[in-house]
Amino acid sequence: MLNPADDSFADTLAAQLPPDSLRRTEPRHIEEPRGRWQGSSGWVALPRQTSEVATIVRACAKSKVGIVPYGGGTGLVGGQVAPKGAPLLLSLDRMTAIREIWPQENAMTVDAGAILVDVHAAAEGADRLFPLGLASQGSARIGGLLSTNAGGINTLRYGNARDLVLGLEAVLPDGQIWNGLKRLRKDNTGYDLRHLLIGAEGTLGVITAASLKLYPRPAAVGTAFFATPSPDTALGLLTLARSQLGDAIQAFELIHRQGLDFLAETLPDIRRPWSEPPDWCVLIEIGTGPGTDPAGLLETLFETALDNGLSEDGLIAQSEAQAQDFWTVREHIPEANRRIGAISSHDIALPLSAIPAFIPEATAALACIDRFRINCFGHLGDGNLHFNVFPVPGRTRADHADQSDAIKTCVHDLTHAMGGSVSAEHGIGRLKTGDLARYGDPAKLAAMRAIKGALDPHGIMNPGAVLPA
Amino acid sequence: MLNPADDSFADTLAAQLPPDSLRRTEPRHIEEPRGRWQGSSGWVALPRQTSEVATIVRACAKSKVGIVPYGGGTGLVGGQVAPKGAPLLLSLDRMTAIREIWPQENAMTVDAGAILVDVHAAAEGADRLFPLGLASQGSARIGGLLSTNAGGINTLRYGNARDLVLGLEAVLPDGQIWNGLKRLRKDNTGYDLRHLLIGAEGTLGVITAASLKLYPRPAAVGTAFFATPSPDTALGLLTLARSQLGDAIQAFELIHRQGLDFLAETLPDIRRPWSEPPDWCVLIEIGTGPGTDPAGLLETLFETALDNGLSEDGLIAQSEAQAQDFWTVREHIPEANRRIGAISSHDIALPLSAIPAFIPEATAALACIDRFRINCFGHLGDGNLHFNVFPVPGRTRADHADQSDAIKTCVHDLTHAMGGSVSAEHGIGRLKTGDLARYGDPAKLAAMRAIKGALDPHGIMNPGAVLPA
């Protein structure tokens, strides 16, 4: 049983830290992006350096006070939302340094509070690329992105957040600082704590800094929309693109007509690629080396795709502005969804070859519950679909409130049966702990509980997230 | 305190398994490649499927009998060598199936006992590449390669063994089977057990199968030797190659003249690239897409390198046979070393930018101990050097027996001081447990012990490896 971070605890902790290190939570600290969870207000600690994080964690460990690490607050599964019981919020807002960049090594070390776009800019300043990219990059912070093993649009080429990390610095639940900031490409000296903390959503410690992998910036980028008859042909297009373009494919995003219709309905100022959209389309981005012509490569791809019945219409961006327009379409689909109001949203991954069967089967299964609109879009190259369910015109999500559990179970059961994951890139947080218990492998769950118990015996780190007490 | 796998235990266990599942160890089971460790003879279990592995582990857990998982026996740090106390060897020799290949998904699932060259062949049969490559690939098995997070020659492009794994099946120390064979590119559902077991060297469970990532096979491959004045210019050449060739660089191997001289002395039939070798050279391999001319790309690279003083002489393979000759040189350096007889061998990694300073500093520090010959070679692209120390002509390693600890400490202290790793790709095993204790981060070591205690409370899994009791 944890103790609250009450005023008396806050006074004791404040005395161990520089002035102005503790404040009352602000409204932003207790909200989350979809407005479905409300955290409890209380105290937030704002350390300026790693040693202060260690002081805070040690104090909480001593007094058995829970800690909720807080990055940019952009998580979609409530991992950053303080539960009842008045835990202490630990915000990384003040730890934003780009500590050092080594361009020749393709490496940089940054504080956990650095915002993703600032990391992008610092890498670009050294003529390098940090390839993690996602919609919330203007506010998401590195510590949260690693704690949730964020995915996004470039994982097809560069991997998930965990694949972009050479080393970590973290404060473990007993307050010890682990200095694992080595920037080595090979280091086989014991268990990989780095990968254990990445994706643990703050339940095994607080990431305070990371050494990140950088990449050469592509000399040229090409962007195209290809209409395609079905998810099956979209997959065929992916296979064809891989055989022609190999590693150059940076993004391969599937979009259903429903998403474009939602855009037209809710954000009519956004320039859409087609006035009469196809049932399905993919947004492809390739990055190529010096002396290449990416638009030409995309034209060749389109010609082959046309010959093979994989695409009937293609739009290849002829300028950077047009490429940006294409991406604006993709990036505003979540906002259009928010305005329509989903009954249930699903962040799932499937083995690639299961996707053509999954989409019609899930659609048919949902039709047995009620009439819905389904916006299925996502990172097809990674097998990651956002399969989101909306009311038909004239009805609202409130009209379906009593069906939302059945919808979620319907989608997740089928995903699980087909060898998929019920959380592809968002994590478990507080939203999906029931799903983890339902679909998780029992041996894995037992091992997770044993590890949690061993590293955090009092359960102070992000209590209630991932593994409820 | 563990109990021995004595005849009585073997009888009890045999009764739970099909006939001929237990045998006495053969000589090969108690040897290791460099002949420096001798295991203890006893019983070896030879399961045919995962459920039998679980039966074996459960029986050992019940009777508190140690288990040493045994793959191909090629490990270089004694992790596969049974210590005193008569633990049970658990050999994966009979679990060699290629379970399934999904070419469209770029994925395959194999048993842990599959030999690496057989995995290569199966991938090639589906027109795909499994890129892990190293000298012992004709006998090393997937389970051991993953348990030690093997590196090798292609990590620059494709990563270490852990980066090539989508999912695992394993038997945990309590005998439970973890079915984690999902083949998903994104799956954020709890702690990453996969990465915890990979590199744990059999101390946290027995890997029984893996889902592996496959890649498109490069349409064309180019291979070249470039002479280069120094490690510093070799690094400049790597930076230049990356800017010109990006992801296409598959291998970038640094070789010192000493290695070529050892080859001439011990294996004179091997065709050497130069009759009068340069002080330093690099072996470069690139893999490129359809319609490319890798030899032409290497020629362009050489011309720029020549202009910039990064190389004074280059040999570009004009045929597959010549490329094979180049690789034969690289691959026989370890055998030449073995014939000369190293006093001390070091598998270290450094931040790339530290390498030009490290090599002369380490050489100078060793010269304070005695006169030696140093063969420094390795995977420069990964910062991974094999910095091996040999007697001068007329002396043998026996003459230096009392210096070998001082040599090792000298090299490892400097490596550690420069932010490096004292085990880049070989692991800890039983050889380097002292190094781990000496150089390991205390917070990490404490966390490792807590995890080991939580998952394997009786310490039955590979006792004495990585973390001595």
Side-chain angles (χ1 to χ4, degrees):
Chain A
M1 193 61 187
L2 295 173
N3 296 313
D6 55 19
D7 293 354
S8 150
F9 174 80
D11 285 347
T12 310
L13 178 57
Q16 302 172 51
L17 294 167
D20 192 33
S21 289
L22 264 82
R23 294 186 180 174
R24 300 294 302 177
T25 48
E26 299 168 32
R28 69 185 175 97
H29 288 124
I30 57 176
E31 294 164 1
E32 59 88 50
R34 288 181 177 156
R36 298 195 186 166
W37 292 73
Q38 180 78 25
S40 61
S41 59
W43 288 98
V44 54
L46 293 147
R48 293 166 182 85
Q49 53 189 342
T50 303
S51 61
E52 294 173 20
V53 177
T55 299
I56 294 162
V57 174
R58 273 198 308 271
C60 288
K62 188 177 168 197
S63 299
K64 297 194 177 62
V65 167
I67 302 171
V68 177
Y70 190 91
T74 61
L76 293 173
V77 288
Q80 75 277 36
V81 175
K84 286 200 175 66
L88 180 70
L89 246 69
L90 195 163
S91 164
L92 280 300
D93 271 23
R94 287 174 173 166
M95 291 175 59
T96 59
I98 306 294
R99 292 195 190 174
E100 197 162 352
I101 303 186
W102 299 266
Q104 192 180 37
E105 294 184 16
N106 284 306
M108 73 192 295
T109 298
V110 306
D111 276 355
I115 291 176
L116 182 50
V117 288
D118 295 333
V119 175
H120 289 165
E124 197 174 326
D127 195 27
R128 293 292 183 274
L129 172 75
F130 181 65
L132 187 65
L134 67 179
S136 60
Q137 60 194 26
S139 40
R141 296 175 190 272
I142 288 294
L145 290 160
L146 300 187
S147 291
T148 57
N149 184 30
I153 52 172
N154 293 325
T155 57
L156 179 60
R157 179 167 187 173
Y158 298 102
N160 295 288
R162 72 168 66 256
D163 302 308
L164 303 173
V165 177
L166 294 168
L168 289 183
E169 177 191 86
V171 176
L172 301 182
D174 62 358
Q176 280 200 79
I177 298 170
W178 167 45
N179 190 338
L181 278 179
K182 289 191 172 166
R183 45 186 210 279
L184 303 172
R185 305 281 161 166
K186 287 182 174 172
D187 181 19
N188 276 341
T189 50
Y191 305 161
D192 201 321
L193 275 201
R194 172 186 52 152
H195 280 302
L196 189 61
L197 288 179
I198 296 171
E201 305 185 39
T203 64
L204 298 178
V206 184
I207 294 171
T208 53
S211 292
L212 303 173
K213 288 185 196 170
L214 301 178
Y215 287 83
R217 285 154 53 80
V221 171
T223 312
F225 265 117
F226 284 12
T228 193
S230 69
D232 195 27
T233 53
L235 215 53
L237 192 54
L238 175 64
T239 302
L240 177 68
R242 275 180 171 154
S243 72
Q244 287 191 2
L245 299 163
D247 293 342
I249 309 166
Q250 304 189 152
F252 198 94
E253 300 284 306
L254 181 71
I255 298 173
H256 185 248
R257 180 195 171 117
Q258 188 67 71
L260 302 177
D261 288 347
F262 281 177
L263 268 184
E265 186 177 335
T266 64
L267 297 162
D269 291 344
I270 300 227
R271 191 190 308 244
R272 291 182 304 283
W274 291 279
S275 53
E276 182 56 37
D279 279 353
W280 293 95
C281 64
V282 294
L283 175 59
I284 307 176
E285 184 181 87
I286 62 172
T288 54
T292 53
D293 168 25
L297 292 167
L298 288 168
E299 271 163 42
T300 305
L301 175 65
F302 176 69
E303 284 159 19
T304 327
L306 188 67
D307 288 348
N308 289 288
L310 300 174
S311 180
E312 64 272 23
D313 193 8
L315 303 169
I316 297 169
Q318 300 302 321
S319 67
E320 215 170 293
Q322 203 179 2
Q324 188 49 57
D325 279 353
F326 287 6
W327 274 108
T328 299
V329 169
R330 169 61 184 86
E331 284 161 1
H332 282 80
I333 291 176
E335 174 60 20
N337 286 345
R338 210 186 57 75
R339 294 186 183 201
I340 298 287
I343 305 165
S344 188
S345 303
H346 311 97
D347 165 44
I348 58 177
L350 289 151
L352 278 185
S353 54
I355 286 178
F358 172 84
I359 294 174
E361 281 188 42
T363 304
L366 289 172
C368 298
I369 298 177
D370 205 336
R371 286 188 308 128
F372 302 112
R373 289 185 293 178
I374 292 168
N375 186 10
C376 172
F377 65 107
H379 318 295
L380 185 67
D382 314 312
N384 178 193
L385 299 179
H386 299 302
F387 191 89
N388 296 352
V389 182
F390 297 83
V392 293
R395 305 180 74 176
T396 68
R397 74 196 244 195
D399 298 330
H400 296 279
D402 60 342
Q403 293 171 326
S404 69
D405 282 351
I407 294 167
K408 190 186 75 167
T409 302
C410 172
V411 174
H412 284 180
D413 279 0
L414 186 62
T415 301
H416 183 68
M418 287 186 162
S421 167
V422 298
S423 189
E425 57 177 11
H426 295 167
I428 299 298
R430 292 179 170 80
L431 180 66
K432 293 192 177 177
T433 54
D435 292 301
L436 183 61
R438 181 180 176 97
Y439 303 109
D441 177 87
K444 174 178 168 173
L445 287 172
M448 284 174 60
R449 284 190 206 100
I451 292 164
K452 171 74 174 174
L455 295 183
D456 183 16
H458 305 307
I460 62 168
M461 292 306 313
N462 211 0
V466 186
L467 289 172
Chain B
M1 192 62 189
L2 296 173
N3 296 313
D6 57 17
D7 293 354
S8 149
F9 174 78
D11 284 348
T12 309
L13 178 56
Q16 301 171 52
L17 295 167
D20 191 32
S21 289
L22 265 82
R23 294 186 181 174
R24 300 293 302 177
T25 49
E26 298 169 33
R28 69 186 175 96
H29 289 123
I30 57 175
E31 294 164 0
E32 58 88 50
R34 288 179 178 158
R36 300 194 186 168
W37 292 73
Q38 180 77 26
S40 61
S41 59
W43 288 99
V44 54
L46 293 146
R48 293 167 182 84
Q49 53 189 349
T50 302
S51 61
E52 294 173 20
V53 176
T55 299
I56 293 162
V57 175
R58 275 199 306 273
C60 289
K62 187 178 168 196
S63 300
K64 298 193 177 62
V65 167
I67 302 171
V68 177
Y70 190 91
T74 62
L76 294 173
V77 288
Q80 75 278 35
V81 174
K84 287 200 173 65
L88 180 71
L89 246 69
L90 195 163
S91 164
L92 280 300
D93 271 23
R94 287 174 174 166
M95 291 174 58
T96 59
I98 305 294
R99 292 195 190 174
E100 197 162 353
I101 304 186
W102 298 267
Q104 192 181 35
E105 295 184 16
N106 284 305
M108 73 192 294
T109 298
V110 305
D111 276 356
I115 292 175
L116 182 50
V117 288
D118 296 333
V119 175
H120 289 164
E124 197 173 325
D127 194 26
R128 291 294 182 275
L129 172 75
F130 181 64
L132 187 65
L134 67 178
S136 60
Q137 61 195 25
S139 41
R141 295 175 190 272
I142 288 295
L145 290 161
L146 300 187
S147 291
T148 57
N149 184 30
I153 52 171
N154 294 327
T155 55
L156 178 61
R157 178 167 187 173
Y158 298 102
N160 294 289
R162 70 167 69 255
D163 302 308
L164 303 173
V165 177
L166 293 168
L168 288 184
E169 177 191 88
V171 176
L172 301 182
D174 61 358
Q176 280 199 79
I177 297 169
W178 167 44
N179 190 339
L181 280 179
K182 288 189 173 168
R183 46 185 208 279
L184 304 171
R185 306 280 161 168
K186 287 180 173 173
D187 181 19
N188 277 341
T189 50
Y191 305 161
D192 201 320
L193 274 201
R194 173 186 51 151
H195 280 302
L196 189 61
L197 288 179
I198 296 171
E201 305 185 40
T203 64
L204 298 177
V206 184
I207 293 171
T208 53
S211 292
L212 304 172
K213 288 185 195 170
L214 301 178
Y215 287 84
R217 285 155 52 81
V221 171
T223 312
F225 265 117
F226 283 13
T228 194
S230 68
D232 195 27
T233 53
L235 215 54
L237 192 54
L238 174 64
T239 303
L240 177 68
R242 276 180 171 154
S243 72
Q244 286 192 3
L245 299 163
D247 293 343
I249 308 167
Q250 303 188 156
F252 197 93
E253 300 285 305
L254 180 71
I255 297 174
H256 184 247
R257 180 195 171 118
Q258 189 67 70
L260 302 178
D261 288 347
F262 281 176
L263 270 184
E265 186 179 333
T266 63
L267 296 162
D269 291 344
I270 299 223
R271 192 190 307 243
R272 293 183 302 283
W274 291 280
S275 52
E276 181 57 34
D279 279 353
W280 294 95
C281 64
V282 293
L283 175 61
I284 307 176
E285 185 181 88
I286 62 171
T288 54
T292 53
D293 168 23
L297 293 168
L298 289 169
E299 270 162 42
T300 305
L301 175 64
F302 176 70
E303 284 158 20
T304 328
L306 188 66
D307 290 346
N308 290 288
L310 300 173
S311 180
E312 63 272 24
D313 193 8
L315 303 169
I316 296 168
Q318 299 303 321
S319 67
E320 216 169 293
Q322 203 180 2
Q324 188 49 57
D325 279 353
F326 288 6
W327 276 108
T328 299
V329 169
R330 169 62 184 85
E331 284 162 0
H332 281 79
I333 290 176
E335 174 59 19
N337 286 346
R338 209 187 58 75
R339 294 188 182 201
I340 298 286
I343 306 165
S344 188
S345 303
H346 312 97
D347 165 44
I348 57 176
L350 290 151
L352 277 185
S353 54
I355 285 178
F358 173 84
I359 294 174
E361 281 188 44
T363 304
L366 289 173
C368 299
I369 299 177
D370 205 338
R371 288 186 308 129
F372 302 112
R373 289 186 292 178
I374 293 168
N375 186 11
C376 172
F377 65 106
H379 317 294
L380 185 67
D382 314 312
N384 178 194
L385 299 179
H386 299 303
F387 191 88
N388 296 352
V389 181
F390 297 83
V392 293
R395 305 181 75 175
T396 68
R397 73 197 243 196
D399 298 329
H400 296 280
D402 58 344
Q403 293 172 326
S404 70
D405 282 352
I407 294 167
K408 190 186 75 168
T409 303
C410 172
V411 173
H412 283 179
D413 279 0
L414 186 63
T415 302
H416 183 67
M418 287 186 161
S421 167
V422 299
S423 190
E425 59 178 9
H426 296 167
I428 299 298
R430 293 180 169 81
L431 180 67
K432 293 192 176 178
T433 53
D435 291 302
L436 182 62
R438 181 181 175 97
Y439 303 110
D441 178 87
K444 174 177 168 173
L445 287 172
M448 284 174 58
R449 284 191 207 97
I451 292 165
K452 171 74 174 174
L455 295 183
D456 182 17
H458 304 307
I460 62 168
M461 291 307 312
N462 211 0
V466 186
L467 290 170

